[in-house]
Amino acid sequence: MEIKDLSPRQHKELVSISPLLCQCGYIESADMCSDKPDICLPSKTNRQIGIEVTEYTYPKDEESISVVHRMLQDYISGISERKLNNVLQKYSKDKHYCLTVWFHGGSFPRINKINRHKKQIFEELDRFAFPCCESFVNDYIASLELEEITNSEITESIVRIPYVEAYSQIDETMLLNCIRGKEEKLREYKNIEDNKSISEYWLAIIISDPIQIDIKNYQLHDTLIGSVS
């Protein structure tokens, strides 16, 4: 199996732990991807290491970025059909584009009930995509870049949402919930016959967008006591 043959979930899990793999002397490979657990690594002593991957995340922020991304993907996929494009013929339905959008303040787009504002957001995007001499003030969109993709291997348009987010401290309650939420799965994995060769189980907790967390000097206040045999 090659990496391109992985499912989106498997690919995300493998890429997310690539720094850990590199630190341990491994080169990421599609053959590492399993299901229960997510990743299996051979060891130099003929043992296996099983890695379960989970995310430390704020559910509301994860939902917000997903909704905004889908909205912008909807915009860029239909840009050739926009009313202004019918006149200007600036964008072709046969081409793919990279849309980069900055929201006001360069902030993460936390917009309450954003789907209710879709029409206005699309109109604000139009002001940048189809510029004219009139001045305007947007409520949501600060700027955008829109470029044609010339790489023939890319078969769909791309959306990017850069933002600046202040660093915060780890929420230990949320971190412990990430760990405890996997204890039942660990019990299940240890009872699977195909996992008998796994001698070590690791839990990789990924801190991904949009969260910015300072982990450099973090230490748990309490010692973790394993409850899974």
Side-chain angles (χ1 to χ4, degrees):
M1 181 185 292
E2 297 182 14
I3 289 180
K4 65 180 179 64
D5 299 319
L6 296 174
S7 69
R9 179 187 63 80
Q10 289 175 319
H11 186 266
K12 180 181 179 180
E13 290 168 348
L14 184 62
V15 170
S16 68
I17 67 164
S18 58
L20 175 63
L21 297 177
C22 181
Q23 184 178 357
C24 296
Y26 292 93
I27 298 175
E28 61 186 52
S29 164
D31 294 332
M32 294 175 175
C33 294
S34 180
D35 183 28
K36 298 180 178 181
D38 299 320
I39 306 289
C40 284
L41 304 180
S43 77
K44 295 179 181 179
T45 54
N46 295 319
R47 297 176 300 171
Q48 276 192 311
I49 298 169
I51 304 177
E52 183 73 1
V53 182
T54 190
E55 289 196 52
Y56 171 105
T57 184
Y58 298 120
K60 286 186 177 180
D61 281 354
E62 185 176 34
E63 181 181 355
S64 292
I65 197 72
S66 296
V67 171
V68 173
H69 191 275
R70 288 195 299 270
M71 183 179 293
L72 296 179
Q73 194 70 52
D74 186 22
Y75 176 82
I76 193 60
S77 64
I79 194 168
S80 64
E81 301 170 9
R82 301 293 293 166
K83 182 177 180 180
L84 287 170
N85 198 59
N86 291 335
V87 178
L88 300 175
Q89 294 296 303
K90 189 173 181 180
Y91 303 102
S92 169
K93 66 178 181 179
D94 299 320
K95 296 179 180 180
H96 302 296
Y97 300 92
C98 177
L99 173 65
T100 305
V101 176
W102 286 266
F103 286 80
H104 277 307
S107 302
F108 178 82
R110 294 181 179 90
I111 303 172
N112 188 36
K113 299 179 180 178
I114 187 172
N115 279 322
R116 295 185 180 182
H117 309 285
K118 180 176 180 178
K119 182 175 183 292
Q120 180 179 345
I121 289 173
F122 275 27
E123 290 173 352
E124 292 186 8
L125 293 169
D126 279 348
R127 293 167 186 166
F128 288 103
F130 307 98
C132 64
C133 297
E134 297 179 6
S135 61
F136 58 85
V137 177
N138 285 345
D139 291 332
Y140 302 106
I141 309 300
S143 182
L144 70 73
E145 289 182 359
L146 191 50
E147 301 173 326
E148 180 185 336
I149 297 174
T150 57
N151 186 341
S152 59
E153 295 182 1
I154 299 177
T155 58
E156 59 182 13
S157 294
I158 297 171
V159 168
R160 293 173 178 162
I161 311 171
Y163 58 86
V164 177
E165 189 79 348
Y167 272 87
S168 59
Q169 298 300 310
I170 283 182
D171 182 328
E172 192 159 297
T173 299
M174 190 185 310
L175 180 64
L176 292 174
N177 285 339
C178 286
I179 297 170
R180 292 176 182 132
K182 291 296 183 178
E183 288 183 346
E184 187 60 39
K185 282 196 171 184
L186 180 55
R187 292 188 185 93
E188 176 190 349
Y189 298 165
K190 286 189 171 184
N191 290 323
I192 295 175
E193 187 64 30
D194 289 344
N195 291 342
K196 295 302 182 184
S197 61
I198 297 178
S199 60
E200 295 181 28
Y201 283 91
W202 298 357
L203 177 61
I205 301 175
I206 309 303
I207 299 176
S208 57
D209 294 341
I211 297 173
Q212 303 294 322
I213 296 292
D214 181 7
I215 63 171
K216 189 176 295 184
N217 299 311
Y218 176 75
Q219 289 185 334
L220 281 170
H221 290 101
D222 298 314
T223 301
L224 285 175
I225 299 175
S227 61
V228 179
S229 58

